[in-house]
Amino acid sequence: EHQAKAIDASLGGADVALATGTASGKTLSYVVPALSAASETDGCVALFLFPTKALAQDQLASLRRAIEACSLQATCATLDGDTPDEERQSIAQSPSTFIITNPDMLHYTLLPGASQRWRRLFDDLRYVVVDESHVYVGGFGAHVAAVLRRLQRLAPSCQYFACSTTVRDAAGHASSLLPPSSRQLVVIDDDCSPRGPKQVVVWNPPLKKEKKFKRKKVEAETDDYDSGAD
């Protein structure tokens, strides 16, 4: 149900903030609207922001499978510190439909060249996904927030889709993180994904014999258990 609500809201032109649990299908919720936009608009560019390159590579593989399954004439590419210069030039001259990158690359490479090298990309940008939009504090959190606001100024017509597993106040967090716009912000934090029963086990290590008020480390207990010791 939360997937359907998120997809409908995004297809309706709203910005979406989705805050549901791990393995609840958040990826499908933003990939479907992005694929829909690519199928309806020629030259439409979607930007996927992930905090790490490892996450980006995982998403690249699944996104390519989705494009193939939908028989779309679309391309996707990663743009990070490991992307060769010739591949960056190719992306700049003929932007891929889906570009997977990270906030630092957006700040250091894309935004400074928005009026020159990457102008075509920003002219066609219609959809921005901010994955892992958790609460980041300090310099990094302030940096990402400022980068998103600068992106909004350069591409004011693009939609945003933010998702997180750990954020508590999804509505307040999304309102402060996503750049203000005239679009409606739809917040979905009711996790409707099926889940099996959970068991929570609390392990309390025994006291050390030589020191009555100090307990063994959990790691030591684990080693003893693996070795078969009592």
Side-chain angles (χ1 to χ4, degrees), residues 118-139:
W118 302 100
R119 182 173 181 177
R120 184 174 179 182
L121 184 153
F122 284 99
D123 288 343
D124 295 335
L125 185 60
R126 295 293 178 271
Y127 199 72
V128 177
V129 175
V130 186
D131 201 359
E132 308 296 338
S133 59
H134 310 314
V135 176
Y136 298 113
V137 298

Side-chain angles (χ1 to χ4, degrees), residues 1 14 20 37 55 62 65 83 85 95-96 98 119 130 138 140 160 168 178 184 195 210-211 216-217 221 229:
E1 184 178 355
T20 54
L55 283 172
S62 62
R65 289 194 297 268
T83 306
D85 289 339
S96 300
F98 304 102
R119 182 173 181 177
V130 186
F140 179 70
Y160 286 82
R168 178 180 297 178
L178 297 182
Q184 179 188 8
R195 294 183 179 276
E210 65 276 11
K211 296 181 180 180
K216 290 184 178 180
K217 293 183 179 181
E221 284 289 284

Side-chain angles (χ1 to χ4, degrees), residues 144-168:
V144 174
V147 166
L148 290 176
R149 278 159 176 74
R150 187 179 177 192
L151 177 62
Q152 170 66 13
R153 291 195 297 270
L154 294 173
S157 61
C158 61
Q159 281 182 258
Y160 286 82
F161 195 115
C163 55
S164 174
T165 301
T166 61
V167 67
R168 178 180 297 178

Side-chain angles (χ1 to χ4, degrees), residues 45-50 77-81 83-85 87-125 127-129 143 147-148 150-155:
V45 175
L47 197 64
F48 292 74
L49 300 177
F50 298 96
T78 55
L79 185 62
D80 54 37
T83 306
D85 289 339
E87 187 174 342
R88 296 187 189 190
Q89 187 66 24
S90 176
I91 296 173
Q93 292 177 351
S94 180
S96 300
T97 306
F98 304 102
I99 299 177
I100 302 175
T101 185
N102 54 71
D104 285 336
M105 198 70 181
L106 178 62
H107 163 72
Y108 187 75
T109 300
L110 292 177
L111 293 179
S115 61
Q116 298 177 354
R117 184 180 185 182
W118 302 100
R119 182 173 181 177
R120 184 174 179 182
L121 184 153
F122 284 99
D123 288 343
D124 295 335
L125 185 60
Y127 199 72
V128 177
V129 175
H143 168 66
V147 166
L148 290 176
R150 187 179 177 192
L151 177 62
Q152 170 66 13
R153 291 195 297 270
L154 294 173

Side-chain angles (χ1 to χ4, degrees), residues 6 9 17-18 20 28-29 31 34 46 55 67 72 76 83 86 92 111 158 195 207 212 218:
L18 180 61
T20 54
L28 184 66
S29 301
V31 166
L55 283 172
I67 292 173
L72 285 178
C76 54
T83 306
E86 57 272 16
L111 293 179
C158 61
R195 294 183 179 276
L207 293 170
K212 297 182 180 180
V218 177

Side-chain angles (χ1 to χ4, degrees), residues 15-93:
D15 291 336
V16 177
L18 180 61
T20 54
T22 303
S24 60
K26 293 186 290 296
T27 300
L28 184 66
S29 301
Y30 60 73
V31 166
V32 169
L35 293 173
S36 177
S39 66
E40 296 174 356
T41 306
D42 292 336
C44 171
V45 175
L47 197 64
F48 292 74
L49 300 177
F50 298 96
T52 65
K53 290 189 289 185
L55 283 172
Q57 291 298 323
D58 291 341
Q59 292 298 326
L60 178 64
S62 62
L63 189 55
R64 283 175 173 168
R65 289 194 297 268
I67 292 173
E68 183 179 356
C70 296
S71 300
L72 285 178
Q73 297 298 320
T75 59
C76 54
T78 55
L79 185 62
D80 54 37
D82 295 331
T83 306
D85 289 339
E86 57 272 16
E87 187 174 342
R88 296 187 189 190
Q89 187 66 24
S90 176
I91 296 173
Q93 292 177 351

